[in-house]
Amino acid sequence: MKKTSFYFVLLITSGLFAQDHLSLTQCYQLVDKSYPLVKQKELLETQNKIDSEIITNKSLPQLSIEAQATYQSEVTEVPIPGSGIESLNKDQYRTTATLSQLIYNGGFIDASLEAKSIALKVQQKQVEVNIYQLKKQINQLYFSILLLQEKKYLLNAKKEQLLSRIKEVKSGIEYGTILPASDKVLEAELIKIKQQFTDIEFNKISLFESLSSLIGQDLETTSVLENPEFNLNIENTISRPELELFQLKRDEIDANQQIISKQMVPKLSGFATGGYGNPGLNMLDNAFKSFYTVGVKLNWNVFDWNSNKKERESLLINKDIINNEVEIFNLNINIELRQQEFEMKKIESFITSDYEIIELRKQILQTAESQLKNGVITSSAYITQLTNLFEDETNLKTHNIQLLLVKANYNITKGL
């Protein structure tokens, strides 16, 4: 474990992954750190910052400029002879600049910022959920490589045993106690073992490439995967990131309800308008004049045909939908956990019987070795017994790895 920890520290500090050992925990940590989807969290945060600035800017002074030129078919006239008041021009011009400042909005902007903040958490948690779901894929790849690793160890043992038998058989042929060509049968089996080694190596290359892509690190096929140890606690509660996501979605609905409630609050703003035109504010003065106005404005949407109320009712239905999704999620997770618990019990029973079978196979093979030395049985008969033992040992390794895989998936399913 100390060596593994050292290599992991080396990975973090140097950014390299030229290590001899790799653990399942490290794979989880690397996918959390290096999978391309992780970049979305930073992008979402940047986007949220921009959106929040847009909302905040609504509380800052707003400046608008307007210019217009019109021609009217009629203008206001004073029907008093000799009054000296000229008629207005039918062509009129006006340019204005208005500065407005929001004074009171009932907390609408604060509510909008809070909703935007929760929306960011929802989006980022969704990214975490998507990455978390990759961990079962990592489990499948990791334990597939681990199984090939174990098979390679068994093949090496079988190879060494064959080499030892070949020497004995050759010696027996030389002294005439064993039939000629008996060694050729064993040598042919040795060639088959080389083919199996080749098959393992090609499969490892494919699996390592897939695992490397997921965790974002180049792995050598010579890397040794460690056998993880699991302490399962069936009584532990489910702690999946999806549950946190559901809660954040509820919080988002509550925040949106606050925004809707603030929409009906009166809004007060101040304004100042300056302009230049013909006519100015004095409609009877037929000349270009500058002018200004200042004041306050109250805007209160008193009646909206119950649209506000209906929007809030719609949000409450969304919350009920989320609660229903939580119920379905928990149901499916519990079903999956129960299936995995049964699978673990089944594999454990297989492992118990595997040990019994292997012990019997070893006794049979021991007898076969003695018979082969004395020329009682042929090399083919010996290979049959050797292969039977190898297959049963492979079954044991396969069941052990399958058990580890189910335990790893069980932990991921539970969120431990």
Side-chain angles (χ1 to χ4, degrees), residues 180-233:
S182 294
D183 58 331
K184 303 303 180 186
V185 177
L186 298 177
E187 288 174 352
E189 186 66 21
L190 201 59
I191 295 173
K192 288 183 181 180
I193 288 177
K194 290 180 181 179
Q195 290 178 333
Q196 289 174 298
F197 275 127
T198 302
D199 182 60
I200 286 174
E201 290 305 315
F202 275 100
N203 286 337
K204 279 179 67 177
I205 290 171
S206 175
L207 291 170
F208 265 115
E209 284 182 356
S210 299
L211 184 59
S212 296
S213 298
L214 278 178
I215 66 176
Q217 297 289 343
D218 292 330
L219 299 173
E220 298 293 335
T221 55
T222 54
S223 297
V224 178
L225 305 190
E226 299 176 358
N227 272 301
E229 294 181 2
F230 299 102
N231 294 317
L232 300 184
N233 190 338

Side-chain angles (χ1 to χ4, degrees), residues 112-252:
S112 299
L113 288 173
E114 178 65 18
K116 185 62 66 175
S117 174
I118 295 175
L120 172 63
K121 293 177 182 178
V122 169
Q123 291 172 314
Q124 290 184 326
K125 183 58 68 172
Q126 183 63 64
V127 171
E128 291 180 21
V129 166
N130 293 339
I131 294 174
Y132 187 84
Q133 291 170 350
L134 293 172
K135 291 182 179 179
K136 283 191 177 179
Q137 192 175 345
I138 288 176
N139 287 347
Q140 192 63 49
L141 292 169
Y142 187 93
F143 289 104
S144 294
I145 296 172
L146 198 58
L147 180 57
L148 291 177
Q149 190 173 283
E150 297 294 339
K151 283 183 176 180
K152 188 175 180 180
Y153 294 151
L154 288 176
L155 273 177
N156 272 320
K158 184 179 180 181
K159 175 184 173 183
E160 293 301 319
Q161 206 161 2
L162 270 177
L163 289 172
S164 179
R165 296 292 83 75
I166 288 173
K167 289 181 180 179
E168 293 174 355
V169 168
K170 284 183 179 293
S171 177
I173 292 172
E174 185 178 346
Y175 289 103
T177 58
I178 297 177
L179 293 173
S182 294
D183 58 331
K184 303 303 180 186
V185 177
L186 298 177
E187 288 174 352
E189 186 66 21
L190 201 59
I191 295 173
K192 288 183 181 180
I193 288 177
K194 290 180 181 179
Q195 290 178 333
Q196 289 174 298
F197 275 127
T198 302
D199 182 60
I200 286 174
E201 290 305 315
F202 275 100
N203 286 337
K204 279 179 67 177
I205 290 171
S206 175
L207 291 170
F208 265 115
E209 284 182 356
S210 299
L211 184 59
S212 296
S213 298
L214 278 178
I215 66 176
Q217 297 289 343
D218 292 330
L219 299 173
E220 298 293 335
T221 55
T222 54
S223 297
V224 178
L225 305 190
E226 299 176 358
N227 272 301
E229 294 181 2
F230 299 102
N231 294 317
L232 300 184
N233 190 338
I234 308 269
E235 302 303 321
N236 281 349
T237 57
I238 299 171
S239 180
R240 288 282 292 264
E242 288 90 340
L243 296 176
E244 298 176 27
L245 177 61
F246 288 133
Q247 183 56 50
L248 284 171
K249 286 183 176 181
R250 292 191 193 100
D251 295 341
E252 186 178 26

Side-chain angles (χ1 to χ4, degrees), residues 393-408:
E393 287 179 332
T394 300
N395 286 338
L396 173 60
K397 292 294 183 182
T398 301
H399 290 147
N400 280 326
I401 298 301
Q402 285 176 345
L403 182 59
L404 290 175
L405 174 59
V406 175
K407 286 181 177 181

Side-chain angles (χ1 to χ4, degrees), residues 180-379:
S182 294
D183 58 331
K184 303 303 180 186
V185 177
L186 298 177
E187 288 174 352
E189 186 66 21
L190 201 59
I191 295 173
K192 288 183 181 180
I193 288 177
K194 290 180 181 179
Q195 290 178 333
Q196 289 174 298
F197 275 127
T198 302
D199 182 60
I200 286 174
E201 290 305 315
F202 275 100
N203 286 337
K204 279 179 67 177
I205 290 171
S206 175
L207 291 170
F208 265 115
E209 284 182 356
S210 299
L211 184 59
S212 296
S213 298
L214 278 178
I215 66 176
Q217 297 289 343
D218 292 330
L219 299 173
E220 298 293 335
T221 55
T222 54
S223 297
V224 178
L225 305 190
E226 299 176 358
N227 272 301
E229 294 181 2
F230 299 102
N231 294 317
L232 300 184
N233 190 338
I234 308 269
E235 302 303 321
N236 281 349
T237 57
I238 299 171
S239 180
R240 288 282 292 264
E242 288 90 340
L243 296 176
E244 298 176 27
L245 177 61
F246 288 133
Q247 183 56 50
L248 284 171
K249 286 183 176 181
R250 292 191 193 100
D251 295 341
E252 186 178 26
I253 289 174
D254 291 338
N256 286 328
Q257 284 180 320
Q258 285 296 316
I259 291 177
I260 293 173
S261 67
K262 301 296 183 184
Q263 288 175 346
M264 300 297 292
V265 174
K267 296 174 180 60
L268 181 67
S269 59
F271 67 90
T273 300
Y276 183 75
N278 182 4
L281 295 181
N282 184 358
M283 298 297 295
L284 300 179
D285 189 355
N286 192 20
F288 280 93
K289 296 288 183 178
S290 59
F291 58 88
Y292 73 90
T293 58
V294 294
V296 292
K297 179 181 178 182
L298 179 68
N299 183 14
W300 188 6
N301 187 8
V302 179
F303 184 70
D304 66 348
W305 299 98
N306 282 331
S307 296
N308 190 282
K309 179 181 177 182
K310 291 175 182 177
E311 285 181 21
R312 281 182 285 176
E313 289 175 352
S314 177
L315 286 176
L316 287 175
I317 293 174
N318 281 341
K319 184 175 283 190
D320 289 337
I321 291 172
I322 291 173
N323 290 336
N324 180 251
E325 289 176 350
V326 172
E327 184 180 355
I328 295 171
F329 177 80
N330 284 325
L331 175 63
N332 290 334
I333 290 297
N334 283 316
I335 290 173
E336 187 175 356
L337 289 171
R338 193 64 179 150
Q339 289 173 340
Q340 289 168 343
E341 288 168 11
F342 279 119
E343 186 69 15
M344 282 187 277
K345 290 178 181 178
K346 182 183 75 173
I347 296 173
E348 286 170 351
S349 69
F350 286 162
I351 291 173
T352 300
S353 58
D354 283 337
Y355 280 113
E356 295 174 358
I357 293 170
I358 289 171
E359 187 59 36
L360 293 172
R361 291 292 186 194
K362 285 181 177 179
Q363 294 175 17
I364 294 170
L365 182 62
Q366 190 175 6
T367 301
E369 287 175 0
S370 177
Q371 291 174 335
L372 179 63
K373 284 182 184 180
N374 297 317
V376 176
I377 62 171
T378 63
S379 298

Side-chain angles (χ1 to χ4, degrees), residues 83-99:
S83 63
I85 300 175
E86 298 181 3
S87 298
L88 293 175
N89 294 332
K90 291 186 176 181
D91 56 324
Q92 298 183 4
Y93 308 90
R94 171 174 289 204
T95 299
T96 59
T98 300
L99 182 67

